[in-house]
Structures are given as C-alpha cells and as structure tokens.
C-alpha cells in the first residue's frame, strides 16, 4: 500500500525534513538539486511528489497524493474541498499583512471611504478582510513581486506574506494591518484516511509528536 506525500521545494521541504525523520522517512534525494518530481525514500512504500506550493491541496484533493503540507494562505485560497486538515505543523511561519507605500495615509483613506486598489496573490483572503472592514476594494490578482505594485501606481496597497519585513523596507513599503498568522498544515485526502488508515495514522502521530514549539 503505497503512500504518496505532496511537498513543495524550498522552505516547506526543508522544514518538513525533521517531521519526516520523526516518522522514520528519509528522502532518497534533495529536490533542490535533483530534477526528479517523484522522489523515493528509505521506506519502500513511501514516495514524495514535488509540486508547486499552491498546487499541493489540489494533488491531495484528487487523491494523486494521500498527504501533503501546505500553508494556511494556500489552503484558504484553495477552499479545502476534499481535505482533512488534522494538524498545524507550526512551520513556515509568517504573517498575512496589508502594506502601503511609506507616507501613504492608509487609515485616512479607509476613514474617508476611499475605494482602494489592492494587488495580491491572495484574492480570497484580501476580499474577506476588506469585506469585514466594510472597505470597498478592487482586487488586482498578481503572481509575484507584489511590492512593486504600489511603487508604479498599479495599486494603493498590497496583501502579502511578511516574515522579517526586509522586502517591504527595501522597497519603501510599510505594513499597516495584520490579517492572519500563517503556518503550514498537514492535509490528508479524506478517502485515503479511511482506505489507508493503517499507513497514514502512524505518520500523523509521528508528525504530531515532532511539531516544533
Ligand atoms: P512559488 O515560490 O512557487 O511561487 P510560493 O512562494 O507559494 O510558491 P514558497 O515561497 O516556498 O512558495 O512558500 C510556501 C509557503 O511558505 C507559503 O504558502 C507560505 O505559507 C509560507 N511562506 C511564504 N513566504 C514565507 C516567509 N517569508 N517566511 C515563512 N514562511 C513563508
Ligand atoms: Mg515564495
């Protein structure tokens, strides 16, 4: 009974290694240096598939992977259909923030009821945030380099992930609102959890026991 785990390269893969180790799973290769998209492990029944971070929920939803690890940002945008989310892994931590150009008076714009142009890779999160505040917005969907948008007049504000704030500062932007804390979660295909319970449950338990503080 083969178990397939969907992971993305970069920080999620790196931060997942100790959790996999706790479950006795050691990848045979590093996806950073290998071009392989299917990576075996020391465990003959466990393989990893390397996909784009935002595609992890989709692979798990359709059962192409039994388990996966995805950021809360990605899971909210996906919607979570077909997924169990049994465990917050407390890895890849950052914050979803609203940021504007230094000197832009965001609070004043909100108070006078201005309609704001918001550039973001996270339209769902942005829409919900501004709807709750009763602020009218036009959402402009981008796929990266959100920090540029206010600098060239594409948007009044961005909704983006912030960890150290270094990228904001380097582009003379300032965070003005915290929307939600982000970390990555274990997601499980709902059918697989029942059909492969004996294989999946020990992995869940090992991960749960190894979640960083
Ligand atoms: P891609 O780089 O393929 O466009 P991505 O930017 O979503 O995709 P990563 O940068 O690896 O991929 O981010 C994966 C997850 O890690 C994000 O969904 C988010 O939950 C979290 N994350 C993103 N940026 C940071 C950060 N600066 N610090 C900590 N965690 C982050
Ligand atoms: Mg990234």
């Amino acid at each position: 009974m083969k178990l397939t785990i969907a992971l993305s390269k970069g920080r999620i893969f790196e931060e997942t290694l100790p959790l996999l180790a706790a479950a006795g799973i050691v990848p045979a290769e590093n996806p950073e240096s290998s071009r392989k998209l299917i990576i075996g492990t020391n465990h003959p029944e466990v393989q990893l598939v390397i996909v784009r971070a935002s595609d992890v929920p989709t692979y798990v939803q359709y059962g192409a992977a039994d388990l996966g690890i995805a950021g809360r940002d990605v899971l909210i945008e996906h919607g979570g259909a077909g997924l169990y989310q049994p465990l917050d892994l407390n890895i890849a931590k950052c914050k979803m923030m609203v940021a504007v150009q230094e000197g832009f008076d965001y609070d004043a714009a909100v108070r006078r009821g201005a309609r704001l142009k918001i550039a973001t890779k996270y339209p769902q999160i942005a829409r919900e945030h501004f709807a709750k505040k009763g602020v009218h917005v036009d959402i402009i969907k981008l796929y990266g380099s959100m920090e540029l948008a206010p600098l060239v007049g594409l948007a009044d504000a961005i909704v983006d992930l912030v960890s150290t704030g270094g990228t904001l500062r380097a582009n003379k932007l300032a965070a003005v609102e915290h929307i939600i804390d982000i970390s990555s979660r274990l997601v499980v295909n709902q059918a697989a959890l029942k059909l492969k319970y004996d294989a999946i449950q020990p992995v869940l338990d090992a991960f749960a026991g190894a979640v960083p503080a």
Side-chain angles (χ1 to χ4, degrees), residues 10 55 71 82 95 143 149 193:
D55 290 335
K95 293 174 191 305
Y143 293 87
L193 185 58

Side-chain angles (χ1 to χ4, degrees), residues 12-24:
I12 296 220
F13 184 84
E14 297 303 326
E15 296 190 41
T16 299
L17 282 175
L19 299 170
L20 289 171

Side-chain angles (χ1 to χ4, degrees), residues 99-116:
V100 298
Q101 228 175 336
E102 283 174 8
F104 178 83
D105 194 339
Y106 173 75
D107 291 331
V110 167
R111 271 199 307 274
R112 72 169 182 273
R115 190 172 184 97
L116 296 176

Side-chain angles (χ1 to χ4, degrees), residues 9 11-12 52-53 71 73-74 92-94 121 161 163 182:
K9 285 204 275 198
R11 60 172 61 86
I12 296 220
R52 196 71 188 262
D73 50 328
V74 162
K93 289 172 76 171
C94 52
K121 193 174 158 184
L161 295 174
S163 50
I182 301 289

